[in-house]
Amino acid sequence: MTEVLLKKISLKNYMGAENVEVDFSEKTEIKGKNRCGKSTLMNAYFDVMTGKFANGAAPNNICPVDENGEEKPVKEIERAVTLEINGIEHEIKKVTKRKYRKGVFIGNETVYILDGVSAKSAEVNDFLASIAPSETVAMCSNASVFFSALKKSTADARKAIESLSGFDIERFCEENAEYQSVYEMTAGKKTEDVLKQLKKRLSTENGELDRLNVELDCEQRRLDGSDDSDLQKLESEKAIIIGNIDSMENLKEALNISIDRYTYLVGLVDDLKKKMSAIEDEQKKAKNEKIETLKKSIVAIDADIDNFSEKVKKYNESSEKVFGEISSLKSKFTVLKDSHSIVDGLRYGDDYVCPKCGRGFNSEEIEVVKEKLYKEKEDTLCELKDKVDILEFAIKAETDTYLDFNKKSNEWAEKVFDKRETRKSLEIEFEKLLSIGFEKTEEYKTLEKRLKEAEEESSKLFESTDLWRQVTERSSNYKADLSQKESEINAIIRDTENTEKRIDLLKGSVKEQAQKTADVERQIDMLQDFSIAKNVALEDMVNRKFEFIKIKMSEETLSGDIKETLRINVNGVDYFNGLNHGDRILAEIFLLKGLQDMNGIKLPIWIDDTESLDENRIPDVSRQLIVIRRTDDETLKVCNGEE
C-alpha cells in the first residue's frame, strides 16, 4: 500500500497568500474566519496534485488581486507541496510565470520543479500517477468531489465507485456467462433506460399481438358466416345475360347482309367523289398551267419591250449626235466654199509699188509679182478644193450613218410595237382564261350520275345500319354486364380463397408475434436478473471496505422494476435524509478511508466545514487528517497534533 503524508505547503503570490509556508502533521487543524486563506491552502494542494481546485474547477484565478479586485502584476506565482511517500520526502513545485514580448504581456507559462530539479509537465504527471490517477487522488482526498459527482449524475458516481472498487463488469460476465448478451445490450447505456425501451417495445409487441388476434378472429367469423346463396343468384343472372347476348348476335347476323351492301355503297360513294375530285383537280391544274405560261410569256414580252425600247432610245440618241456633227460639217463646208469663191474671183492689176520703199515696179517686176501671186492663188484654190472634197466626203459618210441609225431605230420601234400588240392579245387571252369556270366532261357527268344513284340507295339502307348499331350497342352492354357478373362471381370465389389464405397467414403471424413478445419478456427478466446480480456483486465488493457505511447500488420501484441507484446508509440511516451535519462529516471521513482502502493507498483526508463536529468526535482512521474549521480568528491559524 502506498502511504502519502503532506509535510508542507509553500505559497508565494498564490491567490491571497503573498508568502505563506505551513507545516502539517498526522492531524492538522486549519482555523480562521472567512477569506483568511483556509480554502487557499486546500486548493493549492489539489492544484499541484490533480491540476484542479478542490471542487474540480480549473485553477484559473490564482493571481492575487488588490482591494479593487484588479490583478496584481506579480512576475511569479508559486505553490509547492512537500510529500512523504512511503517514508521518502519529495517536493513538487509548480511556478506560473508571466511572459512578455517587447515589454507587452502575452500570457502565462507554468514550469515544474521536482525535488529541486526542473522537470517537464509529463514527468511530474507520471510521478504523481505512480501514486494514483489524479481523479482517484481527488475522489479519495475530499468527500465533496464524490458527492458533487453523485448530485450531478448518479450514473457517473456509480462509474466512479466501480472504478475505485476495481469491479470488472467484463470479468463478472465471464464468470456468469448467462448475462453476456444482456451486458452487450446495456453497454454504454443506463439499465433503467434499456429497461424502459424494452418495456416500451413489449407494449408495442403486445399491442401488435392483440391486433393480429382481433384480425384473425374477424376473418374466421367472416369465413364461418359466408353461404352460397349470393353465388347461386349471380350464376342465374349470368345465364340470363348469356341468352340475351345470343339473341342479339342472331339479329345482328341477319342485318349483316344489308350492312355489307351499305358498307359497299359508302365505299363506292367515297371512290366516285375521289374520281370526280381528281377530274376537277386535273382541269384546274391544266388551267393553272396555262395561266402560268401566259404570265411567263407576258413577263418575257415585257422584258423584250424594255430591251427594244432601250435600243430605240440608244439609236435615237446616236442619230441626234450624228445629226449635230453633220450640221457642224456643213457649216465648215459653206465657209470653205465661200473662201474658194472669193479666192477664185481674185484679179491682179499692173500697178505695183514696193511695200518697203514705195517705188513703183517696172513691167518685168510686175510680171514676176503677178506670176507669183497667181501661183499662190492656184495653190490656195487647190488646198481649199481638197478640204472641200474631204468635208463633202465626211458629210456623205455621216449622212449615211445618220440614215442607218434612223433605219435601225425605226426597225426596233416596229418590234416594240409588235411586242405590245402581242402583249395586248395575251392579256385578252389571260382575262378570258380567268373567267372560264369548270367544264363538266362526259366522264365527269357519268361519275356524277353514278354518285347520285349510290347516295340514294345508301340513304335507304341507313335505317338498317342504325338498327345494327342499336343491336351492337345492346350486345356490348350485355357483354359488359356478363363481365361484371363474372367479376363478382370470381370475387366471391377469390374472397373465400383469400380469407382462408389470410387466416393461415394470420395464424403464422400470431405465432411469430407471440414469440417476439416472449423474447422481449425474457430479455426484461434477464435484464432485471442481471442488474440484481451485478449490483449485489458490486455492493459486496464495495461495502467490505467500509466501516459503519453501506452503499446500496439498486432498489425496487413501486412497479416492481429494478432501478440502479447509489444510496449511502450510515448505521441504517440515509446520508441525505436523517443525519445531522456532524454525523455527515464523520460519514465522509469513513467514506474516504474506504475509498482509499479500495485502491491500496493512504492519502491526506481534507475535511471542510467541521464547525458542527466536536474535536473529540474526530476518529482515528490511520491516515493523515486535515480539518478545516471556521472560527473568529482574524488570521489563519494552523494547529498540528496536540497544539
Side-chain angles (χ1 to χ4, degrees):
M1 177 177 287
T2 300
E3 183 174 0
V4 178
L5 291 175
L6 174 61
K7 306 295 288 182
K8 182 186 296 184
I9 294 178
S10 301
L11 303 178
K12 182 179 180 182
N13 297 323
Y14 187 83
M15 300 178 74
E18 292 186 5
N19 196 350
V20 174
E21 187 172 290
V22 176
D23 293 323
F24 292 84
S25 64
E26 286 288 336
K27 179 181 178 183
T28 301
E29 185 173 357
I30 303 173
K31 301 178 181 181
K33 66 177 184 178
N34 290 337
R35 303 183 64 82
C36 72
K38 302 187 300 297
S39 297
T40 299
L41 287 172
M42 183 168 62
N43 283 330
Y45 172 79
F46 283 98
D47 183 358
V48 173
M49 297 295 291
T50 68
K52 296 180 180 179
F53 284 157
N55 61 2
N60 294 325
N61 303 317
I62 60 174
C63 186
V65 297
D66 57 22
E67 60 273 9
N68 296 320
E70 299 292 332
E71 290 187 358
K72 296 179 179 179
V74 296
K75 292 184 178 181
E76 293 184 355
I77 300 173
E78 294 182 6
R79 55 278 199 203
V81 173
T82 301
L83 304 175
E84 183 182 299
I85 303 173
N86 293 333
I88 300 173
E89 193 168 290
H90 299 276
E91 182 189 52
I92 307 166
K93 182 183 290 186
K94 191 173 179 181
V95 182
T96 300
K97 300 180 179 181
R98 296 173 67 89
K99 292 180 64 178
Y100 294 88
R101 180 178 295 168
K102 297 181 179 180
V104 178
F105 174 68
I106 59 173
N108 295 322
E109 69 172 345
T110 300
V111 298
Y112 295 86
I113 299 173
L114 179 60
D115 293 333
V117 179
S118 178
K120 294 181 179 179
S121 173
E123 294 173 347
V124 174
N125 290 335
D126 290 342
F127 174 78
L128 292 173
S130 66
I131 301 172
S134 60
E135 295 82 1
T136 301
V137 171
M139 190 77 70
C140 294
S141 300
N142 185 1
S144 64
V145 176
F146 174 78
F147 285 107
S148 293
L150 180 59
K151 291 177 182 178
K152 186 177 180 181
S153 170
T154 301
D156 291 343
R158 284 178 57 89
K159 288 180 181 179
I161 285 292
E162 288 182 14
S163 175
L164 292 171
S165 67
F167 180 76
D168 189 342
I169 185 64
E170 292 186 359
R171 184 189 305 166
F172 172 79
C173 290
E174 288 177 1
E175 295 172 353
N176 301 271
E178 67 273 19
Y179 298 133
Q180 185 63 40
S181 60
V182 181
Y183 168 65
E184 293 173 356
M185 180 173 60
T186 58
K189 302 175 184 177
K190 293 182 180 179
T191 302
E192 304 94 88
D193 293 340
V194 177
L195 184 61
K196 286 180 182 178
Q197 291 176 359
L198 287 174
K199 289 204 168 186
K200 183 177 180 182
R201 181 180 165 192
L202 178 62
S203 176
T204 302
E205 300 294 354
N206 278 325
E208 179 64 12
L209 181 60
D210 292 341
R211 185 191 68 78
L212 290 172
N213 279 319
V214 170
E215 187 175 351
L216 176 61
D217 183 63
C218 179
E219 293 293 337
Q220 189 65 56
R221 283 188 283 106
R222 179 181 176 187
L223 180 64
D224 296 340
S226 62
D227 56 42
D228 296 335
S229 59
D230 291 339
L231 183 61
Q232 292 174 356
K233 180 181 177 182
L234 289 173
E235 290 288 358
S236 177
E237 292 174 350
K238 175 183 174 182
I240 294 172
I241 293 172
I242 291 174
N244 291 334
I245 291 174
D246 292 340
S247 299
M248 290 299 105
E249 290 298 322
N250 293 333
L251 180 57
K252 191 165 74 170
E253 187 176 351
L255 292 171
N256 279 342
I257 298 174
S258 298
I259 296 302
D260 291 342
R261 178 62 181 172
Y262 175 79
T263 304
Y264 165 74
L265 290 173
V266 170
L268 179 61
V269 167
D270 187 57
D271 186 54
L272 291 172
K273 286 181 177 179
K274 288 180 180 179
K275 289 180 179 181
M276 293 169 67
S277 178
I279 293 173
E280 292 174 0
D281 292 342
E282 184 177 356
Q283 195 175 115
K284 185 178 180 181
K285 180 180 178 183
K287 178 182 176 181
N288 290 336
E289 288 177 353
K290 289 180 180 179
I291 289 173
E292 289 300 320
T293 302
L294 286 173
K295 285 182 178 179
K296 291 178 181 178
S297 298
I298 291 172
V299 170
I301 288 173
D302 287 340
D304 289 342
I305 290 173
D306 291 341
N307 186 27
F308 296 165
S309 297
E310 187 66 29
K311 290 183 180 296
V312 171
K313 180 180 178 182
K314 177 181 177 183
Y315 283 119
N316 285 339
E317 290 175 352
S318 298
S319 296
E320 290 175 1
K321 183 177 180 182
V322 171
F323 182 77
E325 291 177 356
I326 291 173
S327 297
S328 177
L329 289 173
K330 284 183 177 181
S331 297
K332 292 179 181 179
F333 179 78
T334 303
V335 172
L336 287 174
K337 288 289 286 183
D338 291 344
S339 298
H340 186 277
S341 297
I342 293 170
V343 172
D344 189 44
L346 288 176
R347 296 293 182 267
Y348 301 104
D350 295 327
D351 189 11
Y352 292 98
V353 294
C354 178
K356 295 182 179 179
C357 63
R359 178 182 65 80
F361 289 158
N362 57 29
S363 58
E364 291 180 359
E365 289 176 332
I366 290 171
E367 286 299 326
V368 172
V369 172
K370 287 177 68 175
E371 184 180 358
K372 182 179 179 182
L373 290 173
Y374 279 112
K375 179 72 171 61
E376 291 176 354
K377 174 183 177 182
E378 286 298 326
D379 292 339
T380 300
L381 287 172
C382 287
E383 184 179 352
L384 288 172
K385 186 176 182 307
D386 291 338
K387 290 182 178 181
V388 168
D389 291 340
I390 291 170
L391 284 173
E392 191 173 20
F393 178 78
I395 289 170
K396 184 177 181 305
E398 290 296 327
T399 300
D400 291 340
T401 301
Y402 174 75
L403 293 174
D404 183 57
F405 283 164
N406 279 340
K407 180 181 177 182
K408 289 181 178 179
S409 175
N410 292 332
E411 289 174 353
W412 287 109
E414 288 177 1
K415 290 181 180 180
V416 170
F417 178 78
D418 292 340
K419 289 291 182 181
R420 285 176 176 165
E421 291 299 318
T422 302
R423 191 183 192 285
K424 288 179 182 179
S425 63
L426 290 176
E427 286 179 345
I428 293 171
E429 185 179 355
F430 182 78
E431 294 297 331
K432 181 180 179 181
L433 191 59
L434 288 176
S435 64
I436 295 175
F438 175 70
E439 295 181 1
K440 296 182 180 180
T441 63
E442 289 302 321
E443 181 185 4
Y444 188 87
K445 291 176 181 178
T446 301
L447 293 172
E448 192 173 37
K449 181 180 178 181
R450 290 180 64 193
L451 175 63
K452 183 178 179 181
E453 293 171 352
E455 287 179 338
E456 289 175 353
E457 185 179 358
S458 64
S459 178
K460 293 177 182 179
L461 292 172
F462 181 75
E463 294 179 359
S464 298
T465 60
D466 187 50
L467 179 58
W468 184 87
R469 278 192 290 270
Q470 293 178 13
V471 171
T472 301
E473 183 178 356
R474 292 184 66 184
S475 179
S476 297
N477 292 336
Y478 285 137
K479 288 179 180 179
D481 292 341
L482 177 62
S483 178
Q484 177 64 29
K485 295 302 177 184
E486 289 177 341
S487 297
E488 292 176 6
I489 290 170
N490 292 331
I492 291 176
I493 295 172
R494 283 195 306 271
D495 187 51
T496 301
E497 294 175 349
N498 291 337
T499 300
E500 293 173 347
K501 290 180 180 178
R502 280 198 298 274
I503 288 173
D504 291 339
L505 290 173
L506 284 170
K507 286 180 178 178
S509 297
V510 167
K511 183 178 180 181
E512 183 180 345
Q513 189 60 37
Q515 185 60 49
K516 287 183 179 179
T517 303
D519 290 342
V520 176
E521 290 175 343
R522 183 176 58 81
Q523 286 180 330
I524 291 174
D525 292 341
M526 287 184 65
L527 177 60
Q528 291 184 331
D529 291 345
F530 168 73
S531 180
I532 293 171
K534 180 190 71 173
N535 286 299
V536 167
L538 180 59
E539 289 173 3
D540 181 64
M541 181 173 286
V542 170
N543 289 327
R544 70 179 64 169
K545 297 293 184 180
F546 292 126
E547 301 176 42
F548 311 113
I549 292 177
K550 296 297 178 183
I551 292 182
K552 189 70 174 174
M553 303 301 289
S554 65
E555 61 185 4
E556 187 175 349
T557 64
L558 294 176
S559 61
D561 296 332
I562 300 302
K563 177 182 178 182
E564 292 191 340
T565 184
L566 198 159
R567 293 193 176 278
I568 301 174
N569 292 321
V570 182
N571 291 327
V573 180
D574 184 75
Y575 172 85
F576 291 102
N577 298 296
L579 291 182
N580 59 38
H581 188 266
D583 289 337
R584 287 187 183 181
I585 296 297
L586 292 174
E588 290 172 4
I589 294 173
F590 286 108
L591 173 68
L592 294 176
K593 176 183 180 297
L595 293 177
Q596 291 183 14
D597 289 342
M598 288 181 192
N599 289 270
I601 53 176
K602 286 186 177 182
L603 299 174
I605 294 177
W606 293 76
I607 305 298
D608 198 0
D609 297 327
T610 60
E611 298 80 25
S612 61
L613 183 66
D614 295 336
E615 293 184 14
N616 59 2
R617 292 191 64 195
I618 297 176
D620 181 8
V621 289
S622 301
R623 50 206 10 93
Q624 187 177 20
L625 287 178
I626 302 170
V627 179
I628 298 176
R629 190 187 302 273
R630 181 177 57 82
T631 64
D632 294 332
D633 296 310
E634 291 294 329
T635 59
L636 183 70
K637 186 176 180 181
V638 178
C639 300
N640 288 309
E642 300 299 327
E643 294 181 14

